[in-house]
Short mmCIF file of all heavy atoms in Angstrom, two decimals:
data_model
loop_
_atom_site.label_atom_id
_atom_site.label_comp_id
_atom_site.label_asym_id
_atom_site.label_seq_id
_atom_site.Cartn_x
_atom_site.Cartn_y
_atom_site.Cartn_z
N ASP A 155 -15.81 54.95 -54.34
CA ASP A 155 -14.59 55.32 -55.07
C ASP A 155 -14.35 56.82 -55.06
O ASP A 155 -13.49 57.32 -55.78
CB ASP A 155 -14.67 54.82 -56.51
CG ASP A 155 -14.77 53.31 -56.58
OD1 ASP A 155 -14.13 52.64 -55.75
OD2 ASP A 155 -15.51 52.82 -57.45
N SER A 156 -15.09 57.55 -54.23
CA SER A 156 -14.96 59.00 -54.20
C SER A 156 -13.98 59.42 -53.10
O SER A 156 -13.93 58.81 -52.03
CB SER A 156 -16.32 59.66 -53.95
OG SER A 156 -17.24 59.30 -54.95
N ASP A 157 -13.23 60.46 -53.36
CA ASP A 157 -12.32 61.00 -52.35
C ASP A 157 -13.00 62.03 -51.47
O ASP A 157 -12.60 62.24 -50.33
CB ASP A 157 -11.09 61.63 -53.02
CG ASP A 157 -10.19 60.58 -53.65
OD1 ASP A 157 -10.13 59.47 -53.09
OD2 ASP A 157 -9.56 60.89 -54.68
N TRP A 158 -14.02 62.70 -52.03
CA TRP A 158 -14.66 63.78 -51.28
C TRP A 158 -16.17 63.63 -51.37
O TRP A 158 -16.72 63.19 -52.36
CB TRP A 158 -14.26 65.15 -51.86
CG TRP A 158 -12.79 65.41 -51.79
CD1 TRP A 158 -11.86 65.21 -52.76
CD2 TRP A 158 -12.08 65.90 -50.67
NE1 TRP A 158 -10.61 65.54 -52.34
CE2 TRP A 158 -10.71 65.98 -51.04
CE3 TRP A 158 -12.45 66.29 -49.37
CZ2 TRP A 158 -9.72 66.43 -50.17
CZ3 TRP A 158 -11.47 66.73 -48.51
CH2 TRP A 158 -10.11 66.80 -48.91
N THR A 159 -16.84 64.04 -50.29
CA THR A 159 -18.30 64.06 -50.28
C THR A 159 -18.76 65.01 -49.19
O THR A 159 -18.05 65.25 -48.21
CB THR A 159 -18.88 62.66 -50.02
OG1 THR A 159 -20.32 62.74 -50.03
CG2 THR A 159 -18.44 62.12 -48.66
N THR A 160 -19.95 65.56 -49.38
CA THR A 160 -20.55 66.40 -48.33
C THR A 160 -21.52 65.59 -47.48
O THR A 160 -22.12 66.14 -46.55
CB THR A 160 -21.29 67.58 -48.98
OG1 THR A 160 -22.29 67.08 -49.88
CG2 THR A 160 -20.33 68.49 -49.74
N GLU A 161 -21.65 64.31 -47.78
CA GLU A 161 -22.57 63.46 -47.02
C GLU A 161 -21.99 63.19 -45.63
O GLU A 161 -20.89 62.66 -45.47
CB GLU A 161 -22.77 62.14 -47.76
CG GLU A 161 -23.67 61.15 -47.04
CD GLU A 161 -25.07 61.70 -46.85
OE1 GLU A 161 -25.77 61.92 -47.86
OE2 GLU A 161 -25.45 61.93 -45.68
N GLU A 162 -22.74 63.58 -44.59
CA GLU A 162 -22.27 63.39 -43.21
C GLU A 162 -22.69 62.04 -42.63
O GLU A 162 -22.11 61.59 -41.64
CB GLU A 162 -22.81 64.52 -42.32
CG GLU A 162 -22.28 65.89 -42.72
CD GLU A 162 -22.81 66.97 -41.80
OE1 GLU A 162 -23.67 66.67 -40.95
OE2 GLU A 162 -22.36 68.14 -41.94
N ASN A 163 -23.71 61.43 -43.23
CA ASN A 163 -24.21 60.16 -42.71
C ASN A 163 -24.34 59.14 -43.84
O ASN A 163 -25.46 58.79 -44.25
CB ASN A 163 -25.56 60.34 -42.01
CG ASN A 163 -25.44 61.22 -40.78
OD1 ASN A 163 -24.85 60.82 -39.78
ND2 ASN A 163 -26.01 62.42 -40.86
N PRO A 164 -23.23 58.68 -44.39
CA PRO A 164 -23.32 57.71 -45.49
C PRO A 164 -23.87 56.37 -45.00
O PRO A 164 -23.77 56.02 -43.81
CB PRO A 164 -21.87 57.57 -45.95
CG PRO A 164 -21.06 57.90 -44.73
CD PRO A 164 -21.83 58.96 -44.01
N THR A 165 -24.45 55.64 -45.94
CA THR A 165 -24.98 54.32 -45.64
C THR A 165 -24.00 53.25 -46.13
O THR A 165 -23.52 53.33 -47.26
CB THR A 165 -26.34 54.11 -46.33
OG1 THR A 165 -27.27 55.06 -45.83
CG2 THR A 165 -26.86 52.70 -46.07
N VAL A 166 -23.71 52.30 -45.26
CA VAL A 166 -22.88 51.17 -45.65
C VAL A 166 -23.81 50.09 -46.17
O VAL A 166 -24.70 49.61 -45.45
CB VAL A 166 -22.05 50.62 -44.47
CG1 VAL A 166 -21.21 49.42 -44.92
CG2 VAL A 166 -21.14 51.72 -43.91
N TYR A 167 -23.61 49.68 -47.39
CA TYR A 167 -24.49 48.70 -48.04
C TYR A 167 -23.67 47.43 -48.32
O TYR A 167 -22.55 47.50 -48.82
CB TYR A 167 -25.03 49.27 -49.35
CG TYR A 167 -25.84 48.30 -50.19
CD1 TYR A 167 -27.17 48.07 -49.91
CD2 TYR A 167 -25.25 47.62 -51.25
CE1 TYR A 167 -27.91 47.17 -50.67
CE2 TYR A 167 -25.98 46.73 -52.02
CZ TYR A 167 -27.30 46.50 -51.71
OH TYR A 167 -28.03 45.62 -52.47
N PHE A 168 -24.23 46.29 -47.96
CA PHE A 168 -23.54 45.04 -48.24
C PHE A 168 -24.54 43.98 -48.70
O PHE A 168 -25.72 44.01 -48.32
CB PHE A 168 -22.76 44.55 -47.02
CG PHE A 168 -23.61 44.25 -45.81
CD1 PHE A 168 -24.13 42.98 -45.59
CD2 PHE A 168 -23.90 45.25 -44.90
CE1 PHE A 168 -24.91 42.71 -44.48
CE2 PHE A 168 -24.69 44.98 -43.78
CZ PHE A 168 -25.19 43.71 -43.57
N GLU A 169 -24.06 43.04 -49.48
CA GLU A 169 -24.91 41.93 -49.92
C GLU A 169 -24.05 40.71 -50.20
O GLU A 169 -22.84 40.80 -50.36
CB GLU A 169 -25.71 42.32 -51.16
CG GLU A 169 -24.86 42.59 -52.40
CD GLU A 169 -25.69 42.95 -53.61
OE1 GLU A 169 -26.93 42.92 -53.52
OE2 GLU A 169 -25.10 43.25 -54.67
N HIS A 170 -24.70 39.56 -50.24
CA HIS A 170 -24.04 38.28 -50.52
C HIS A 170 -22.92 37.96 -49.52
O HIS A 170 -21.84 37.52 -49.89
CB HIS A 170 -23.49 38.26 -51.95
CG HIS A 170 -24.55 38.46 -52.99
ND1 HIS A 170 -24.36 39.29 -54.08
CD2 HIS A 170 -25.80 37.97 -53.11
CE1 HIS A 170 -25.46 39.30 -54.82
NE2 HIS A 170 -26.35 38.48 -54.25
N VAL A 171 -23.20 38.24 -48.25
CA VAL A 171 -22.28 37.84 -47.19
C VAL A 171 -22.65 36.43 -46.74
O VAL A 171 -23.82 36.15 -46.47
CB VAL A 171 -22.35 38.82 -45.99
CG1 VAL A 171 -21.42 38.37 -44.88
CG2 VAL A 171 -21.99 40.23 -46.46
N GLN A 172 -21.67 35.54 -46.68
CA GLN A 172 -21.94 34.15 -46.33
C GLN A 172 -20.95 33.65 -45.29
O GLN A 172 -19.81 34.10 -45.23
CB GLN A 172 -21.84 33.26 -47.57
CG GLN A 172 -22.77 33.65 -48.70
CD GLN A 172 -22.65 32.72 -49.88
OE1 GLN A 172 -22.91 31.52 -49.78
NE2 GLN A 172 -22.24 33.25 -51.01
#
Side-chain angles (χ1 to χ4, degrees):
D155 298 323
S156 301
D157 290 327
W158 299 96
T159 180
T160 58
E161 178 62 65
E162 296 181 354
N163 296 291
T165 297
V166 179
Y167 174 82
F168 61 92
E169 64 179 356
H170 301 137
V171 178
Q172 302 181 61

